[in-house]
Amino acid sequence: MRNSVEELAVLKREIAEGPDAAATQRQRDRGKLTVRERIDQLLDPGTFQEIEPLRRHRAQGFGLEAKKPYTDGVVTGWGTVEGRTVFVYAHDFRIFGGALGEAHAAKIHKIMDMAIAAGAPLVSLNDGAGARIQEGVTALAGYGGIFTRNTKASGVIPQISVMLGPCAGGAAYSPALTDFVFMVRETSQMFITGPDVVRAVTGEEISQNGLGGADVHAEVSGVSHFSFEDEQTCLEEVRYLLSLLPQNNRETPPAEATDDPADRRCEELLDLVPADGNRPYDMRAVIKSLVDDGEFLEVHERWATNVIVALARMGGQVVGIVANQPQSLAGVLDIAASEKAARFVQMCDAFNIPLVTLLDVPGFLPGVDQEHGGIIRHGAKLLYAYCNATVPRIQLILRKAYGGAYIVMDSRSVGADLSYAWPTNEIAVMGAEGAANVIFRRQIAASDDPDAMRARMVKEYKAELMHPYYAAERGLIDDVIDPAATRQVLIRSLDMLRTKHADLPERKHGNPPQ
């Protein structure tokens, strides 16, 4: 027995070291960590429990029968992050370029099934060259099994995809099905058809990073939620995100004790937000003032920057924040912003994260491109997400809230539990100038001094329909509050709503706008 145990230990060491030193050096030359170094960065020290390290493929032909490395190019198992169980699978680029074959896929299927059964998050560390061509259609079938499990796990356990190398072809659809995608600049790329195919079909010349690098997906396509300069920082942020998420859809996110008083006044807000609705300001500064210790994790920071979505804590409890950003496109809603906010609202609702919506929105972005691009159906995605959400929902109107954008951004009429406003708020169908031009166009046109008449009509419209207390008098907002007391009001409201229970109608599933 002792001899057998020693032989096993030697074998396990060889498996852990990888196929050969040259392959490991090539990985390092690319600026990448090895597969087990990545897992060690992600998980708490000494907690990783590997499964099926001795698995090898059974394929024949094209030289595969002479090369049967252990693990078959993917390491699977579980460990903990801050003491809570997390499942992980990680491609080993040193073995078949991390390409997926039958045995490789079977290991991933197994760990995904275990994560769903155990009700714990699943993190994939992606660094693979796609399907293993030598195994033909069985490799493609392996991807089908992964996609099916991604879909089955959606809204049940958090799924996080970390892109640490190439991800091409059909393989890119698995990350797209998960809740969050992380990428590392220069070393990770995602695309359906690579530069060579693009060149052959369209004649366009483009690099891998130009086609599907981290910056492209963080700023242009919106595929990536986070991008970082190096793997270590990326994996540390994955750990931070996991600390803000529950284990599954039956639990609430973990609370943390905080020294930041719940009744702390935010006097800086009185000067931070200009009363003039046309002057921009940084909504991030408002969020920083309201949340515990000024810390929040912004999702999709570089895409659709006219809306902010973030996870933070208030009074030690995790909340999801959706906020217009007046510094970008005046905070209007457009196609990309609607999609970004809708997906975030759905994620928060799936994992029992209360929603706080901060409004300063002049409406939807007008334009031919927006209308032809489907702003109606894309805006409806955000409306559908809010209407379908059963978590606690609080709306706060900082300044202006005009037209359909006011309704869509979680108004009382679509189910917000509470709606508050600052004393500078303006809730209306449109801005006073536009409204006056429509309502009083005949009087203005017939006047001897149209400009003076327009100014008088604007003032009259504001006085009648846009004063800060108009909506409160009609029960459309619950209170007009002192901005400095906002943190205290929000935390008290969230505490009250913690036991909220709401049921949706019995159905197989909804049919959200696409």
Coordinates of all heavy atoms in Angstrom, one line a residue, residues 362-428:
P362 N -33.7 62.8 -19.1 CA -34.5 63.7 -20.0 C -35.4 63.0 -21.0 O -36.1 63.6 -21.7 CB -33.4 64.5 -20.7 CG -32.2 63.5 -20.8 CD -32.3 62.7 -19.6
G363 N -35.3 61.6 -21.1 CA -36.1 60.9 -22.0 C -35.3 59.8 -22.8 O -34.2 59.5 -22.4
F364 N -35.9 59.4 -23.8 CA -35.2 58.4 -24.7 C -34.5 59.3 -25.8 O -34.9 60.3 -26.2 CB -36.2 57.5 -25.4 CG -36.6 56.3 -24.5 CD1 -37.7 56.4 -23.7 CD2 -35.8 55.2 -24.4 CE1 -38.1 55.4 -22.9 CE2 -36.2 54.1 -23.6 CZ -37.3 54.2 -22.8
L365 N -33.3 58.7 -26.3 CA -32.6 59.4 -27.3 C -33.3 59.4 -28.6 O -33.6 58.4 -29.2 CB -31.2 58.7 -27.5 CG -30.2 59.4 -28.5 CD1 -29.8 60.8 -28.1 CD2 -29.0 58.5 -28.7
P366 N -33.6 60.6 -29.2 CA -34.3 60.7 -30.5 C -33.3 60.5 -31.6 O -32.1 60.7 -31.5 CB -34.8 62.1 -30.5 CG -33.9 62.9 -29.7 CD -33.4 62.0 -28.6
G367 N -33.8 60.1 -32.8 CA -32.9 59.9 -34.0 C -33.4 58.8 -34.8 O -34.0 57.8 -34.4
V368 N -33.1 58.9 -36.1 CA -33.4 57.9 -37.1 C -32.7 56.6 -36.8 O -33.4 55.5 -36.8 CB -33.1 58.3 -38.5 CG1 -33.3 57.2 -39.5 CG2 -33.9 59.6 -38.9
D369 N -31.5 56.6 -36.4 CA -30.7 55.4 -36.1 C -31.3 54.7 -34.9 O -31.4 53.4 -35.0 CB -29.2 55.8 -35.8 CG -28.5 56.2 -37.0 OD1 -29.0 56.0 -38.2 OD2 -27.4 56.8 -36.9
Q370 N -31.7 55.4 -33.9 CA -32.3 54.8 -32.8 C -33.7 54.1 -33.1 O -33.9 53.0 -32.7 CB -32.5 55.8 -31.7 CG -31.3 56.2 -31.0 CD -30.6 55.1 -30.1 OE1 -31.3 54.5 -29.3 NE2 -29.4 54.8 -30.4
E371 N -34.5 54.8 -33.9 CA -35.8 54.2 -34.2 C -35.6 53.0 -35.2 O -36.3 52.0 -35.0 CB -36.7 55.3 -34.9 CG -37.0 56.5 -34.0 CD -37.9 56.1 -32.8 OE1 -38.5 55.0 -32.9 OE2 -38.0 56.9 -31.9
H372 N -34.8 53.2 -36.2 CA -34.6 52.0 -37.1 C -33.8 50.9 -36.4 O -34.0 49.7 -36.8 CB -33.8 52.5 -38.3 CG -34.6 53.4 -39.2 ND1 -34.1 53.8 -40.4 CD2 -35.8 53.9 -39.1 CE1 -35.1 54.6 -41.0 NE2 -36.1 54.6 -40.2
G373 N -33.0 51.2 -35.4 CA -32.4 50.2 -34.6 C -33.2 49.4 -33.6 O -32.8 48.5 -33.0
G374 N -34.5 49.9 -33.5 CA -35.4 49.2 -32.6 C -35.5 49.7 -31.2 O -35.6 48.9 -30.2
I375 N -35.4 51.0 -31.0 CA -35.4 51.5 -29.6 C -36.7 51.1 -28.9 O -36.7 51.0 -27.7 CB -35.3 53.1 -29.6 CG1 -35.2 53.6 -28.2 CG2 -36.4 53.7 -30.4 CD1 -34.0 53.2 -27.4
I376 N -37.8 50.9 -29.7 CA -39.1 50.5 -29.1 C -38.9 49.2 -28.4 O -39.2 49.0 -27.2 CB -40.2 50.5 -30.1 CG1 -40.4 51.9 -30.6 CG2 -41.5 49.9 -29.5 CD1 -41.4 51.9 -31.8
R377 N -38.4 48.2 -29.1 CA -38.3 46.9 -28.5 C -37.2 46.8 -27.5 O -37.3 46.1 -26.5 CB -38.2 45.8 -29.6 CG -36.9 45.9 -30.4 CD -37.0 44.8 -31.6 NE -35.9 45.0 -32.5 CZ -34.7 44.4 -32.3 NH1 -34.4 43.7 -31.2 NH2 -33.7 44.6 -33.2
H378 N -36.1 47.5 -27.7 CA -35.0 47.5 -26.7 C -35.4 48.2 -25.5 O -35.0 47.8 -24.4 CB -33.7 48.1 -27.4 CG -33.1 47.3 -28.4 ND1 -32.5 46.1 -28.2 CD2 -33.1 47.4 -29.8 CE1 -32.0 45.6 -29.3 NE2 -32.4 46.4 -30.3
G379 N -36.1 49.3 -25.6 CA -36.6 50.0 -24.4 C -37.5 49.2 -23.6 O -37.6 49.2 -22.4
A380 N -38.3 48.4 -24.4 CA -39.3 47.5 -23.8 C -38.6 46.4 -22.9 O -39.2 45.9 -22.0 CB -40.2 46.9 -24.8
K381 N -37.4 46.1 -23.3 CA -36.7 45.1 -22.4 C -36.5 45.6 -21.0 O -36.6 44.8 -20.1 CB -35.3 44.8 -23.1 CG -35.3 44.1 -24.4 CD -33.9 43.9 -24.9 CE -34.0 43.2 -26.3 NZ -32.6 43.1 -26.9
L382 N -36.1 46.9 -20.9 CA -36.0 47.4 -19.5 C -37.3 47.5 -18.8 O -37.4 47.2 -17.6 CB -35.3 48.8 -19.6 CG -35.1 49.5 -18.3 CD1 -34.2 48.7 -17.4 CD2 -34.4 50.9 -18.6
L383 N -38.3 47.9 -19.5 CA -39.7 47.9 -18.9 C -40.1 46.6 -18.5 O -40.6 46.4 -17.3 CB -40.7 48.5 -20.0 CG -42.1 48.6 -19.5 CD1 -42.2 49.6 -18.4 CD2 -42.9 49.1 -20.7
Y384 N -39.9 45.5 -19.3 CA -40.3 44.2 -19.0 C -39.5 43.7 -17.7 O -40.1 43.1 -16.8 CB -40.0 43.3 -20.2 CG -40.5 41.8 -20.0 CD1 -41.7 41.4 -20.6 CD2 -39.7 40.9 -19.3 CE1 -42.1 40.1 -20.5 CE2 -40.2 39.6 -19.2 CZ -41.4 39.2 -19.7 OH -41.8 37.9 -19.6
A385 N -38.2 44.0 -17.7 CA -37.4 43.6 -16.6 C -37.9 44.1 -15.2 O -38.0 43.4 -14.2 CB -35.9 43.9 -16.8
Y386 N -38.1 45.4 -15.2 CA -38.6 46.0 -14.0 C -40.0 45.5 -13.6 O -40.3 45.1 -12.5 CB -38.7 47.5 -14.1 CG -37.5 48.3 -13.7 CD1 -36.8 49.1 -14.6 CD2 -36.9 48.1 -12.4 CE1 -35.7 49.8 -14.2 CE2 -35.8 48.8 -12.1 CZ -35.2 49.7 -13.0 OH -34.0 50.3 -12.6
C387 N -40.9 45.4 -14.6 CA -42.3 44.9 -14.3 C -42.3 43.5 -13.8 O -43.2 43.1 -13.0 CB -43.2 45.0 -15.5 SG -43.6 46.7 -16.1
N388 N -41.3 42.7 -14.2 CA -41.2 41.3 -13.8 C -40.5 41.1 -12.5 O -40.5 40.0 -12.0 CB -40.5 40.5 -15.0 CG -40.9 39.1 -15.0 OD1 -42.1 38.7 -14.9 ND2 -40.0 38.2 -15.2
A389 N -39.8 42.1 -12.0 CA -39.0 41.9 -10.8 C -39.8 41.9 -9.5 O -40.7 42.8 -9.3 CB -37.9 43.0 -10.8
T390 N -39.5 41.0 -8.7 CA -40.2 40.9 -7.4 C -39.4 41.2 -6.2 O -39.9 41.2 -5.1 CB -40.8 39.4 -7.2 OG1 -39.6 38.5 -7.2 CG2 -41.7 39.0 -8.3
V391 N -38.1 41.6 -6.4 CA -37.3 42.0 -5.3 C -37.7 43.4 -4.8 O -38.4 44.1 -5.5 CB -35.8 42.0 -5.7 CG1 -35.3 40.7 -5.9 CG2 -35.6 43.0 -6.9
P392 N -37.3 43.8 -3.6 CA -37.6 45.2 -3.2 C -37.0 46.2 -4.2 O -35.9 46.1 -4.7 CB -36.8 45.3 -1.8 CG -36.8 43.9 -1.3 CD -36.6 43.1 -2.5
R393 N -37.9 47.2 -4.5 CA -37.5 48.2 -5.5 C -37.8 49.6 -5.0 O -39.0 49.9 -4.6 CB -38.3 47.9 -6.8 CG -37.9 46.6 -7.5 CD -39.0 46.1 -8.4 NE -39.6 47.1 -9.3 CZ -40.7 46.8 -10.0 NH1 -41.3 45.6 -9.9 NH2 -41.2 47.8 -10.8
I394 N -36.8 50.4 -5.0 CA -36.9 51.8 -4.6 C -36.5 52.8 -5.7 O -35.4 52.6 -6.2 CB -36.1 52.1 -3.3 CG1 -36.6 51.2 -2.2 CG2 -36.3 53.5 -2.9 CD1 -35.8 51.3 -0.9
Q395 N -37.3 53.8 -6.0 CA -36.9 54.8 -7.0 C -36.6 56.1 -6.3 O -37.3 56.5 -5.4 CB -38.1 54.9 -8.0 CG -37.9 56.0 -9.1 CD -39.2 56.4 -9.7 OE1 -40.1 56.9 -9.1 NE2 -39.3 56.2 -11.1
L396 N -35.6 56.8 -6.8 CA -35.3 58.1 -6.2 C -35.0 59.0 -7.4 O -34.2 58.8 -8.2 CB -34.0 58.0 -5.4 CG -33.4 59.4 -4.9 CD1 -34.4 60.0 -3.9 CD2 -32.1 59.2 -4.3
I397 N -35.8 60.1 -7.4 CA -35.7 61.1 -8.5 C -34.9 62.3 -8.0 O -35.3 63.0 -7.1 CB -37.1 61.6 -9.0 CG1 -37.9 60.4 -9.5 CG2 -37.0 62.6 -10.1 CD1 -39.4 60.6 -9.6
L398 N -33.7 62.4 -8.6 CA -32.8 63.5 -8.1 C -33.2 64.8 -8.7 O -33.1 65.9 -8.0 CB -31.3 63.2 -8.5 CG -30.6 62.1 -7.6 CD1 -31.2 60.8 -7.7 CD2 -29.1 62.1 -8.0
R399 N -33.5 64.8 -10.0 CA -33.7 66.1 -10.7 C -34.8 65.9 -11.7 O -36.0 66.1 -11.3 CB -32.4 66.5 -11.4 CG -32.1 68.0 -11.3 CD -30.7 68.4 -11.7 NE -30.1 67.7 -12.9 CZ -29.0 68.1 -13.5 NH1 -28.4 69.1 -13.1 NH2 -28.5 67.4 -14.5
K400 N -34.6 65.6 -12.9 CA -35.6 65.5 -13.9 C -36.0 64.1 -14.3 O -35.1 63.2 -14.2 CB -35.3 66.3 -15.2 CG -34.0 65.8 -15.8 CD -33.6 66.7 -17.0 CE -32.2 66.4 -17.6 NZ -31.1 66.6 -16.6
A401 N -37.2 63.9 -14.6 CA -37.7 62.5 -15.0 C -38.8 62.8 -16.0 O -39.9 63.0 -15.7 CB -38.2 61.7 -13.8
Y402 N -38.5 62.7 -17.3 CA -39.4 63.1 -18.4 C -39.9 61.9 -19.2 O -39.1 61.0 -19.5 CB -38.7 64.1 -19.3 CG -38.3 65.4 -18.7 CD1 -37.4 66.2 -19.3 CD2 -38.9 65.9 -17.6 CE1 -37.0 67.5 -18.8 CE2 -38.6 67.1 -17.0 CZ -37.6 67.9 -17.6 OH -37.3 69.1 -17.1
G403 N -41.1 62.0 -19.6 CA -41.7 61.1 -20.6 C -41.7 59.6 -20.2 O -41.7 59.2 -19.1
G404 N -41.6 58.8 -21.3 CA -41.6 57.3 -21.1 C -40.4 56.8 -20.3 O -40.5 55.8 -19.6
A405 N -39.3 57.6 -20.3 CA -38.1 57.2 -19.6 C -38.4 57.2 -18.1 O -37.9 56.3 -17.3 CB -36.9 58.1 -19.9
Y406 N -39.2 58.1 -17.6 CA -39.6 58.1 -16.2 C -40.4 56.9 -15.8 O -40.2 56.3 -14.8 CB -40.5 59.4 -15.9 CG -41.4 59.2 -14.7 CD1 -40.9 59.1 -13.4 CD2 -42.8 59.2 -14.9 CE1 -41.7 58.9 -12.3 CE2 -43.6 59.0 -13.8 CZ -43.1 58.9 -12.5 OH -43.9 58.7 -11.5
I407 N -41.3 56.5 -16.7 CA -42.1 55.3 -16.4 C -41.3 54.0 -16.4 O -41.3 53.2 -15.5 CB -43.2 55.1 -17.5 CG1 -44.2 56.4 -17.5 CG2 -44.1 53.9 -17.2 CD1 -45.1 56.4 -18.6
V408 N -40.4 53.9 -17.4 CA -39.6 52.7 -17.6 C -38.6 52.6 -16.5 O -38.3 51.4 -16.1 CB -38.8 52.8 -19.0 CG1 -37.7 51.8 -19.1 CG2 -39.8 52.7 -20.1
M409 N -38.1 53.7 -15.9 CA -37.1 53.6 -14.9 C -37.7 53.4 -13.5 O -37.5 54.1 -12.5 CB -36.2 54.9 -14.9 CG -35.3 55.0 -16.1 SD -33.9 54.0 -16.1 CE -32.9 54.7 -14.8
D410 N -38.5 52.3 -13.4 CA -39.1 51.8 -12.2 C -40.0 52.8 -11.4 O -39.8 53.1 -10.2 CB -38.0 51.3 -11.3 CG -38.5 50.2 -10.3 OD1 -39.6 49.6 -10.6 OD2 -37.9 50.0 -9.2
S411 N -40.9 53.4 -12.1 CA -41.9 54.3 -11.5 C -42.9 53.5 -10.6 O -43.0 52.3 -10.7 CB -42.6 55.1 -12.5 OG -43.4 54.2 -13.3
R412 N -43.6 54.2 -9.8 CA -44.6 53.5 -9.0 C -45.6 52.8 -9.9 O -46.2 51.7 -9.5 CB -45.4 54.6 -8.1 CG -44.6 55.1 -6.9 CD -44.3 54.0 -5.9 NE -45.6 53.4 -5.4 CZ -46.3 53.9 -4.4 NH1 -45.9 55.0 -3.8 NH2 -47.4 53.3 -4.1
S413 N -45.9 53.4 -11.1 CA -46.9 52.8 -11.9 C -46.5 51.4 -12.5 O -47.4 50.7 -12.9 CB -47.3 53.7 -13.1 OG -46.1 54.0 -13.8
V414 N -45.2 51.1 -12.5 CA -44.8 49.8 -13.0 C -44.3 48.9 -11.8 O -43.8 47.8 -12.0 CB -43.7 49.9 -14.0 CG1 -44.2 50.6 -15.2 CG2 -42.4 50.5 -13.5
G415 N -44.6 49.3 -10.6 CA -44.4 48.4 -9.5 C -43.4 48.7 -8.5 O -43.1 47.9 -7.6
A416 N -42.7 49.9 -8.5 CA -41.8 50.2 -7.5 C -42.5 50.2 -6.1 O -43.6 50.7 -6.0 CB -41.1 51.6 -7.8
D417 N -41.8 49.7 -5.1 CA -42.4 49.7 -3.8 C -42.5 51.0 -3.2 O -43.4 51.4 -2.5 CB -41.6 48.7 -2.9 CG -41.6 47.3 -3.4 OD1 -42.7 46.7 -3.4 OD2 -40.5 46.8 -3.8
L418 N -41.4 51.8 -3.4 CA -41.3 53.2 -2.8 C -40.7 54.1 -3.8 O -39.8 53.7 -4.6 CB -40.5 53.2 -1.5 CG -41.1 52.5 -0.3 CD1 -40.1 52.3 0.8 CD2 -42.3 53.3 0.2
S419 N -41.2 55.3 -3.9 CA -40.6 56.3 -4.8 C -40.4 57.6 -4.0 O -41.3 58.1 -3.3 CB -41.5 56.6 -5.9 OG -41.0 57.6 -6.8
Y420 N -39.1 58.1 -4.0 CA -38.8 59.3 -3.3 C -38.2 60.3 -4.3 O -37.8 60.0 -5.4 CB -37.7 59.1 -2.2 CG -38.1 58.1 -1.1 CD1 -37.6 56.8 -1.0 CD2 -39.1 58.5 -0.2 CE1 -38.0 56.0 0.0 CE2 -39.5 57.7 0.8 CZ -38.9 56.4 0.9 OH -39.3 55.6 1.9
A421 N -38.2 61.6 -3.9 CA -37.7 62.6 -4.8 C -37.0 63.7 -4.0 O -37.4 63.9 -2.8 CB -38.8 63.2 -5.6
W422 N -36.1 64.4 -4.6 CA -35.4 65.5 -4.0 C -36.3 66.8 -4.3 O -37.0 66.7 -5.3 CB -34.0 65.7 -4.5 CG -33.1 64.7 -3.9 CD1 -33.3 63.7 -3.0 CD2 -31.7 64.6 -4.3 NE1 -32.2 63.0 -2.7 CE2 -31.2 63.5 -3.5 CE3 -30.8 65.2 -5.1 CZ2 -29.8 63.1 -3.6 CZ3 -29.5 64.8 -5.2 CH2 -29.0 63.8 -4.4
P423 N -36.1 67.8 -3.6 CA -37.0 69.0 -3.8 C -36.7 69.7 -5.1 O -37.4 70.7 -5.4 CB -36.7 69.9 -2.6 CG -35.4 69.4 -2.0 CD -35.3 68.0 -2.3
T424 N -35.7 69.3 -5.9 CA -35.4 69.9 -7.2 C -36.1 69.1 -8.3 O -35.8 69.3 -9.5 CB -33.9 70.0 -7.4 OG1 -33.3 68.7 -7.1 CG2 -33.3 71.1 -6.5
N425 N -36.9 68.1 -8.0 CA -37.3 67.1 -9.0 C -38.3 67.8 -10.0 O -39.1 68.7 -9.6 CB -38.0 65.9 -8.4 CG -39.4 66.1 -7.9 OD1 -40.3 66.0 -8.7 ND2 -39.6 66.5 -6.6
E426 N -38.3 67.3 -11.2 CA -39.3 67.7 -12.2 C -39.8 66.4 -12.9 O -39.0 65.8 -13.6 CB -38.7 68.7 -13.3 CG -38.3 70.0 -12.7 CD -37.8 70.9 -13.8 OE1 -37.5 70.4 -14.9 OE2 -37.6 72.1 -13.5
I427 N -41.0 66.1 -12.7 CA -41.6 64.9 -13.3 C -42.6 65.4 -14.3 O -43.6 66.1 -13.9 CB -42.2 63.9 -12.3 CG1 -41.2 63.6 -11.2 CG2 -42.8 62.7 -13.0 CD1 -41.8 62.8 -10.1
A428 N -42.5 65.1 -15.6 CA -43.4 65.6 -16.6 C -43.3 64.8 -17.9 O -42.4 63.9 -18.0 CB -43.0 67.1 -16.9

